[in-house]
Amino acid sequence: PGSSPCRSVIMGAKAVGVELNKKLLNLQAGEHLTPEFLKINPQHTIPTLVDNGFALWESRAILVYLVEKYGKTDSLYPKCPKKRALINQRLYFDMGTLYQSFANYYYPQVFAKAPADPEAFKKIEAAFDFLNTFLEGQTYVAGDSLTVADIAIVATVSSFEVAKFDISKYANVNKWYENAKKVTPGWDENWAGCLE
């Protein structure tokens, strides 16, 4: 529940009407390193989806898979190459810049009791500056309707909120985020996971 990537998959599944059979792994106890789990996912990361014997990990890939396989329309991941390319760019931005800045700054503090790194904090601010620019004049992060990019990024931004990062300094992000809370399926479960 505390993992943004896991919560994004939960919201994505909700958006396409898929009921997940969720399995909670205790990472501190090494449950993701058991031979059984390594057979499913040798990279031993979460989330991992198993769909009728097909195993997939990396939350953004899972989001796309769920929409392509189970979506009743293509609204969350349109077939248009240009729209899809923009969504992909935002998904990769989330993975490599926004979420990565969260992990680089907060994980050492939480898991290793390391002091806060001001240089890592600057990377968070830079990531939010980029996101704020992407959202100039936009209601959604990649186009004119909710997509998998919004779902991935709202999971990440909600983790920043619960970590007490001041989102309000970024007017476009703040406006988008307030709307995303209302329109993203599964938001309540996402927020409950954040608080947990």
Side-chain angles (χ1 to χ4, degrees):
S3 161
S4 304
C6 290
R7 293 192 320 270
S8 72
V9 169
I10 290 167
M11 290 187 286
K14 185 84 135 185
V16 295
V18 168
E19 187 69 33
L20 296 173
N21 178 16
K22 294 176 265 190
K23 308 273 188 209
L24 187 62
L25 291 180
N26 183 338
L27 302 182
Q28 277 71 29
E31 290 180 4
H32 61 305
L33 301 173
T34 63
E36 297 79 27
F37 191 75
L38 290 172
K39 193 173 181 181
I40 295 167
N41 175 353
Q43 203 173 348
H44 57 79
T45 56
I46 60 163
T48 296
L49 176 77
V50 179
D51 184 20
N52 295 314
F54 172 68
L56 184 65
W57 51 96
E58 182 9 70
S59 62
R60 294 144 199 98
I62 294 170
L63 282 171
V64 168
Y65 171 78
L66 288 172
V67 170
E68 289 190 319
K69 181 156 185 196
Y70 297 104
K72 289 157 188 62
T73 70
D74 73 346
S75 66
L76 291 170
Y77 195 60
K79 301 225 183 308
C80 168
K82 288 181 181 176
K83 288 180 179 181
R84 190 170 275 198
L86 185 61
I87 292 166
N88 290 339
Q89 187 277 323
R90 299 301 195 253
L91 289 171
Y92 300 146
F93 166 78
D94 180 46
M95 183 173 86
T97 304
L98 186 64
Y99 181 76
Q100 192 61 52
S101 74
F102 181 90
N104 290 346
Y105 182 72
Y106 290 105
Y107 285 5
Q109 295 175 64
V110 172
F111 298 116
K113 306 296 181 233
D117 177 355
E119 290 306 310
F121 190 79
K122 287 179 188 171
K123 299 260 170 112
I124 292 173
E125 293 175 316
F128 270 83
D129 282 335
F130 286 131
L131 183 56
N132 203 59
T133 299
F134 299 159
L135 286 162
E136 185 65 43
Q138 301 292 316
T139 303
Y140 298 97
V141 296
D144 55 8
S145 64
L146 185 77
T147 68
V148 292
D150 293 284
I151 294 170
I153 291 175
V154 79
T156 299
V157 171
S158 61
S159 290
F160 278 104
E161 181 185 10
V162 84
K164 306 277 190 259
F165 179 76
D166 186 5
I167 297 162
S168 69
K169 295 190 322 189
Y170 306 88
N172 297 332
V173 175
N174 197 51
K175 183 178 172 191
W176 162 82
Y177 184 52
E178 290 307 313
N179 181 60
K181 290 181 200 180
K182 295 176 194 146
V183 300
T184 307
W187 166 259
D188 292 341
E189 189 171 354
N190 173 71
W191 187 243
C194 281
L195 296 177
E196 193 174 313

